[in-house]
Amino acid sequence: MSGENAPVPDSQSTFGERYEVITASPLSEFSTRGGDAFAVKSRDKSAGDCYALVHHPSVPVRNEVYKTLHSKPIANLICPIERGLMNLSFEGKKVQRLVTIFGRPTGGALMGLDGKLNPRVNANRLRQNVALSILKAITALHKRGFMHRSIMPTNVYFSTPNSDEVVLGECYSMPPGYMQPFAMEPLDLAMADGTARGVGDVESDYYQMGATMQSLYFGEQLWRGRDRDSMLMARVNQGSFWALSGGREIPGALGGLIRGLTADENEERWGAEDVLDWFEGVGKPKRTTMRAWTMNRPTNFKGVAVVDRRLLAHAFARDPAEAAGFLKSIDFTSWVQMSFRDEILTDRLESLLNVKPDSGFGGMRSDDYKMVTRVCMFLHPTGPIHFKGYSFFLDGIPAMVAEAFSRDDREVLSMVVDLLDAKFLQLIGEICEIQGFKLGAQLGELRRVMPFASSKQLGKGMERVLYEMNPILPCVSQRFSNVWIGSIIQLMRALERIAGAGTTRNILLDRHLAAFCATHGMELEREFNNLAAAQHNPAKFNSLSMNFFGLLQQRCKMEALPNLTSKLVDGLAPAVKGLKNKKRREQVQIALDKSKKSGDIARISAEVNMIKVQAEDAREFAQARTLVSRLERERKKLLKKVLPNDPEAKRMGLRGSRMIALAGLVLVSFLTFF
Amino acid sequence: MAKRKKSPGIPKRRRPPSEASGFAPLLLIGLTALALFSIDAAIIMVIGIVPTIVLGFTGKGEHKAERLQCVGFSNVGGVIPFIPQAMSRGWEFMIGDIINIVLMFGSAAIGYALVYVGPMVAAFILQGLNQDRLKKIAQQRQALVDAWSHEVLGDKEDEAVPAQTGFIRKQN
């Protein structure tokens, strides 16, 4: 396959003409996992301070969040002003990227990326301004049905150098909770991998608010310098507040607020009302939950005695092979009865978990991973799904898949293929449901993409899953690494530029391109099936490519694409040459040459339906061959010398003689008697 | 129950389809009618068509009917001119002259000659017709080659080139 990259458009977009992104002036304090921030100059002088975020193509943005904030900005939150495609130059390399312009707070971040606290931050401001501003921002966002999930000390800014007003950083450029530090996520979400934490809930924003304020209070990046396992152990055993503070108390009312916000159980964690009550000085009794994660008896796994079932699920998840061996070696029913005396292992739950003793064949079977997942789900139903060494929430899979594609991590993709098994996910859902949690909506979303995951067909497979789950993601094919392809129209224009610069041969065999087209185009499966079937027949493949692009051009009502048309017509040369009938060949060539310059692929494919022409030619050629062989047989027969003894000659000769004899008889009789 | 084995038996010999000829019955009816009309005429007819009767009994092989009819028509044609004389003078008078017998049997010989010459003439005519048909076939073949190239004949154009140029490999 030709690996030619799509060139960047020659002319700057209208959006690009309105804003000038100064790539030499990066603003790292506003950069996120989803994009790099730069200073920007607006041609429109009335626009206030703003910065530009140049998005990374491999990280899906939260489009719904953009729409709501663009149409109606929220106070105390950095909101997008405008977005569009723009040609940019990085180190001399020209690229086309999606750029979002945000209103820029000028007062600086409350905590720098280097961990340096803004000198204006103190306990008093935290209490009076920061808490209230963050609360305002997130409650407004929650009212619109969105979570922020990127509340960090480095993502909160003073709106101006002199103002006490605080604004929360943007949350649209990356999926919720994407790559957030372990300590800054509520415990259940934190246990999932950084790319797959899912949308989360309202309470998770309050946790992040509390953790942010704690970090600001101590003036430290509390998530740094601690390894994940020790932090998890500390959070589970001591609670997140104490684990983060390292045993240091926060005195006064602020301590009460942060303790309430960083409570590990959702039921115990403070919400908007609690924070407002706190502002008014109303003391509320501490809420407690009945949930107990402690087992009645410690379980010894890999030489460590584990008492907390969440930690046990985590330990199983880290080493599924060892966990499978462990589960098969014990009497599971007795183990559950001994370890969880308050719970009753019903027959139904037991059959769902389906932990079978070791059959003696040894080795890890693929089903064993699923068994470990089921048991982990039983141990920690509010936590992530642990499967094949990965931990994730179902609504975090889209971001996980996107990230896996950006690193070309085939292991994660193969894990997702195995995961997308309706029966298995149904079992997990039932195990959660028995314990009082529902996965319904998330399962429904996954069911839609299940038929594509394991397919090897063009336009399907994990590439299709990627684009179906992340409809806002641009086409991430290597061919389009320089440009941003967010729609079929942009794709066609990029192909036009590729055609102008080089070759488009076999471009439709690019799995990303095919999956992108299949996702964003309507009912193209049949076309892709035909293309896949014809990939070893260049003549037919090129004819089908012509039809395919003609269809897209027609559907998108696009302008003329002369370069692409020319390349497609050139690509038809083998097909035309392959036509057996000379006259037809000449007619088709004339018709193609005539319409080549028009750039109207749809018209060419309508006028010269190569597939039909090829089929007709093949059929008539077969008829001609039959006729030739019949003529040849006849010729051979006729070339033989006809002898009087030949049956035909004999028969005809005798009949002729008889006729003559009869004629003679009649004549003689007539002459005799008349 | 075990199935009874079929005995191989003697294969039935198929008779060749008999060449139906209405000539013999027609001749018999004609003779009977002639006898009712004139016994002399009938006798002279029977004597005159002896070669045909002999052929009817001895003739074998393919196209027996055609040969019999050819000889028969020719023979009857040779006897008919003598019928009026036989009716007026009697059959004895007629066979008394050997020339009459020779003429009657000679007409049968003409029939035999026709049987011999007919296929030769037919072969000559058919040969001529075949030549015309061959010309037409060549034209049709050429039209197909013009429309579809040599590939339609089942061989590649490239392969035909060395044969046409008569390339001869030099022996070192």
Side-chain angles (χ1 to χ4, degrees):
Chain A
M1 189 162 53
S2 169
E4 201 151 328
N5 276 5
V8 177
D10 295 329
S11 58
Q12 183 61 280
S13 62
T14 324
F15 173 76
E17 280 169 4
R18 258 203 318 278
Y19 295 97
E20 185 195 343
V21 176
I22 306 159
T23 51
S25 302
L27 299 172
S28 52
E29 59 181 348
F30 295 109
S31 293
T32 66
R33 295 276 183 178
D36 298 319
F38 296 95
V40 67
K41 272 185 199 166
S42 171
R43 304 265 187 268
D44 180 10
K45 298 292 177 196
S46 65
D49 287 320
C50 46
Y51 75 92
L53 192 79
V54 179
H55 292 272
H56 298 161
S58 57
V59 181
V61 297
R62 297 168 73 184
N63 201 35
E64 296 304 315
V65 172
Y66 174 82
K67 283 180 191 167
T68 184
L69 294 180
H70 180 249
S71 60
K72 202 177 168 191
I74 289 175
N76 296 103
L77 181 67
I78 296 180
C79 294
I81 297 169
E82 204 176 354
R83 70 175 173 184
L85 297 185
M86 193 185 275
N87 292 353
L88 296 165
S89 183
F90 290 103
E91 295 165 359
K93 194 187 171 195
K94 209 174 161 191
V95 289
Q96 185 191 37
R97 287 285 175 265
L98 177 70
V99 175
T100 304
I101 307 295
F102 290 96
R104 179 184 172 184
T106 51
L110 269 61
M111 183 179 275
L113 293 171
D114 54 356
K116 207 172 167 188
L117 193 69
N118 191 313
R120 290 168 62 202
V121 175
N122 56 42
N124 199 31
R125 280 210 173 92
L126 278 180
R127 207 166 36 239
Q128 286 175 1
N129 306 102
V130 177
L132 196 61
S133 299
I134 296 176
L135 183 70
K136 271 189 208 169
I138 61 175
T139 47
L141 205 55
H142 292 165
K143 270 184 192 166
R144 297 187 193 181
F146 301 105
M147 273 38 102
H148 191 286
R149 299 290 313 283
S150 301
I151 308 168
M152 290 274 290
T154 51
N155 198 24
V156 188
Y157 311 88
F158 283 112
S159 58
T160 60
N162 303 317
S163 161
D164 287 338
E165 188 79 7
V166 163
V167 291
L168 192 54
E170 62 90 16
C171 61
Y172 129 81
S173 63
M174 58 183 180
Y178 191 73
M179 303 279 203
Q180 292 294 305
F182 180 83
M184 300 305 285
E185 286 279 9
L187 198 53
D188 286 344
L189 298 179
M191 289 170 93
D193 297 340
T195 54
R197 293 199 172 124
V199 177
D201 49 20
V202 172
E203 286 79 16
S204 50
D205 272 351
Y206 287 109
Y207 174 84
Q208 286 195 333
M209 177 184 165
T212 297
M213 291 189 64
Q214 192 175 6
S215 205
L216 289 170
Y217 177 82
F218 288 118
E220 294 167 19
Q221 291 181 320
L222 296 177
W223 61 91
R224 291 250 162 123
R226 312 267 303 263
D227 72 273
R228 193 175 185 273
D229 285 343
S230 68
M231 186 58 143
L232 173 66
M233 193 76 82
R235 284 181 73 176
V236 167
N237 291 330
Q238 300 156 19
S240 292
F241 175 81
W242 293 110
L244 259 69
S245 69
R248 290 171 290 179
E249 174 66 296
I250 300 175
L254 190 64
L257 171 71
I258 294 173
R259 259 195 302 278
L261 288 171
T262 52
D264 284 322
E265 292 301 329
N266 277 358
E267 292 83 357
E268 289 177 20
R269 195 173 301 148
W270 284 18
E273 275 184 37
D274 301 306
V275 178
L276 287 174
D277 287 345
W278 172 82
F279 270 115
E280 287 166 13
V282 180
K284 282 198 164 183
K286 190 173 180 278
R287 284 174 297 187
T288 51
T289 177
M290 294 301 286
R291 186 180 302 282
W293 294 107
T294 313
M295 296 187 287
N296 297 93
R297 206 175 71 157
T299 296
N300 206 330
F301 178 65
K302 287 177 80 179
V304 179
V306 186
V307 181
D308 192 277
R309 55 197 287 175
R310 291 171 298 183
L311 286 177
L312 185 61
H314 181 76
F316 281 173
R318 293 299 117 194
D319 194 348
E322 191 77 24
F326 171 78
L327 290 169
K328 285 196 274 190
S329 70
I330 57 169
D331 180 353
F332 184 72
T333 316
S334 310
W335 176 74
V336 170
Q337 281 167 358
M338 297 291 280
S339 302
F340 312 98
R341 280 185 199 153
D342 301 335
E343 286 184 36
I344 300 163
L345 184 66
T346 58
D347 289 345
R348 182 168 146 69
L349 185 58
E350 195 176 345
S351 73
L352 287 174
L353 293 173
N354 193 21
V355 178
K356 287 177 181 165
D358 199 348
S359 54
F361 292 111
M364 183 80 173
R365 291 179 299 142
S366 64
D367 209 38
D368 291 344
Y369 286 109
K370 293 185 177 176
M371 177 186 75
V372 173
T373 304
R374 291 192 297 267
V375 173
C376 287
M377 216 66 227
F378 161 71
L379 292 172
H380 189 189
T382 56
I385 294 172
H386 302 287
F387 184 54
K388 288 194 167 182
Y390 298 94
S391 304
F392 47 85
F393 284 90
L394 291 181
D395 53 353
I397 291 176
M400 190 186 200
V401 171
E403 200 267 342
F405 266 107
S406 74
R407 287 186 295 111
D408 196 23
D409 190 338
R410 295 282 143 190
E411 211 174 302
V412 172
L413 297 177
S414 113
M415 180 277 291
V416 176
V417 171
D418 290 344
L419 174 79
L420 292 176
D421 167 10
K423 207 175 159 188
F424 175 53
L425 287 175
Q426 185 70 33
L427 276 178
I428 289 176
E430 283 178 31
I431 292 168
C432 283
E433 208 174 320
I434 286 177
Q435 307 203 64
F437 304 97
K438 282 198 172 182
L439 290 178
Q442 297 169 11
L443 280 177
E445 185 62 25
L446 286 178
R447 268 196 200 100
R448 197 170 56 82
V449 297
M450 277 177 196
F452 306 127
S454 54
S455 174
K456 295 274 180 283
Q457 274 185 34
L458 205 59
K460 290 186 180 174
M462 277 308 289
E463 290 84 0
R464 178 71 179 275
V465 172
L466 170 73
Y467 296 111
E468 288 283 348
M469 284 182 153
N470 301 289
I472 194 66
L473 201 74
C475 183
V476 291
S477 164
Q478 278 303 309
R479 285 171 184 271
F480 304 121
S481 57
N482 294 338
V483 291
W484 192 279
I485 305 296
S487 67
I488 297 280
I489 292 180
Q490 285 166 355
L491 174 79
M492 293 289 277
R493 285 181 186 147
L495 289 177
E496 168 70 5
R497 290 196 298 277
I498 292 180
T503 173
T504 56
R505 194 157 49 89
N506 289 346
I507 200 159
L508 279 174
L509 290 179
D510 184 324
R511 290 191 66 82
H512 270 288
L513 189 144
F516 184 85
C517 285
T519 306
H520 293 271
M522 293 285 281
E523 294 164 7
L524 293 172
E525 260 92 359
R526 195 166 56 94
E527 276 72 18
F528 278 113
N529 288 346
N530 292 342
L531 282 164
Q535 59 183 294
H536 300 300
N537 180 352
K540 196 176 177 190
F541 185 82
N542 289 335
S543 310
L544 287 168
S545 299
M546 169 75 91
N547 290 357
F548 180 80
F549 285 122
L551 187 75
L552 289 187
Q553 193 185 24
Q554 200 174 18
R555 278 193 192 170
C556 298
K557 293 173 184 155
M558 285 194 71
E559 67 277 4
L561 303 166
N563 292 326
L564 185 59
T565 312
S566 179
K567 281 287 183 296
L568 286 169
V569 169
D570 291 346
L572 286 181
V576 177
K577 204 178 167 190
L579 290 176
K580 305 277 195 282
N581 190 305
K582 285 180 184 171
K583 199 177 168 187
R584 183 179 285 122
R585 196 158 58 211
E586 280 164 18
Q587 281 173 347
V588 168
Q589 192 59 54
I590 289 165
L592 288 175
D593 289 342
K594 204 173 145 189
S595 45
K596 189 176 177 178
K597 298 289 169 197
S598 71
D600 192 345
I601 307 169
R603 205 186 79 196
I604 298 178
S605 60
E607 279 177 6
V608 186
N609 188 339
M610 276 308 288
I611 302 298
K612 201 176 160 188
V613 169
Q614 279 175 307
E616 202 174 323
D617 189 70
R619 186 169 47 80
E620 287 182 9
F621 182 70
Q623 285 173 350
R625 286 289 301 267
T626 313
L627 183 61
V628 164
S629 59
R630 213 177 66 209
L631 289 174
E632 194 60 27
R633 276 201 305 276
E634 197 179 348
R635 192 176 71 90
K636 277 181 185 163
K637 207 168 116 188
L638 293 173
L639 279 173
K640 283 182 196 164
K641 197 182 174 188
V642 183
L643 296 169
N645 282 337
D646 287 351
E648 184 68 11
K650 210 167 183 179
R651 189 174 55 80
M652 285 179 71
L654 286 171
R655 283 186 182 172
S657 300
R658 184 178 63 182
M659 290 305 294
I660 291 168
L662 183 63
L665 169 64
V666 172
L667 183 68
V668 168
S669 303
F670 184 80
L671 292 174
T672 305
F673 296 111
F674 302 102
Chain B
M1 249 172 75
K3 279 184 183 177
R4 262 172 44 187
K5 275 187 183 176
K6 277 185 181 177
S7 58
I10 302 159
K12 284 182 181 176
R13 189 178 290 170
R14 277 193 178 176
R15 282 185 183 177
S18 60
E19 293 181 53
S21 168
F23 188 72
L26 196 70
L27 196 64
L28 203 63
I29 292 163
L31 282 174
T32 312
L34 194 64
L36 290 172
F37 182 68
S38 164
I39 194 74
D40 292 308
I43 289 167
I44 201 75
M45 178 62 84
V46 170
I47 292 165
I49 62 166
V50 164
T52 303
I53 293 165
V54 169
L55 180 63
F57 284 109
T58 59
K60 283 178 184 172
E62 278 183 309
H63 309 295
K64 183 187 163 188
E66 278 89 350
R67 276 185 285 151
L68 181 62
Q69 285 165 10
C70 184
V71 173
F73 289 143
S74 187
N75 197 184
V76 172
V79 177
I80 279 175
F82 297 99
I83 297 255
Q85 288 180 45
M87 284 166 69
S88 58
R89 295 185 187 174
W91 65 274
E92 297 89 347
F93 175 75
M94 292 305 296
I95 60 162
D97 191 350
I98 193 73
I99 296 298
N100 291 343
I101 300 295
V102 169
L103 283 173
M104 284 189 278
F105 286 8
S107 65
I110 291 169
Y112 274 108
L114 281 173
V115 168
Y116 180 71
V117 172
M120 290 168 81
V121 174
F124 183 74
I125 293 167
L126 282 175
Q127 189 68 49
L129 290 172
N130 283 359
Q131 289 306 317
D132 285 351
R133 179 72 191 132
L134 277 171
K135 275 183 194 169
K136 280 185 183 170
I137 285 172
Q139 282 170 355
Q140 275 182 287
R141 198 164 171 270
Q142 191 54 44
L144 286 169
V145 170
D146 289 345
W148 299 96
S149 79
H150 281 276
E151 220 176 315
V152 80
L153 303 178
D155 51 39
K156 301 275 180 197
E157 276 175 298
D158 302 345
E159 288 171 9
V161 174
Q164 284 168 357
T165 51
F167 178 77
I168 298 165
R169 187 179 290 170
K170 284 183 182 175
Q171 297 287 327
N172 289 325

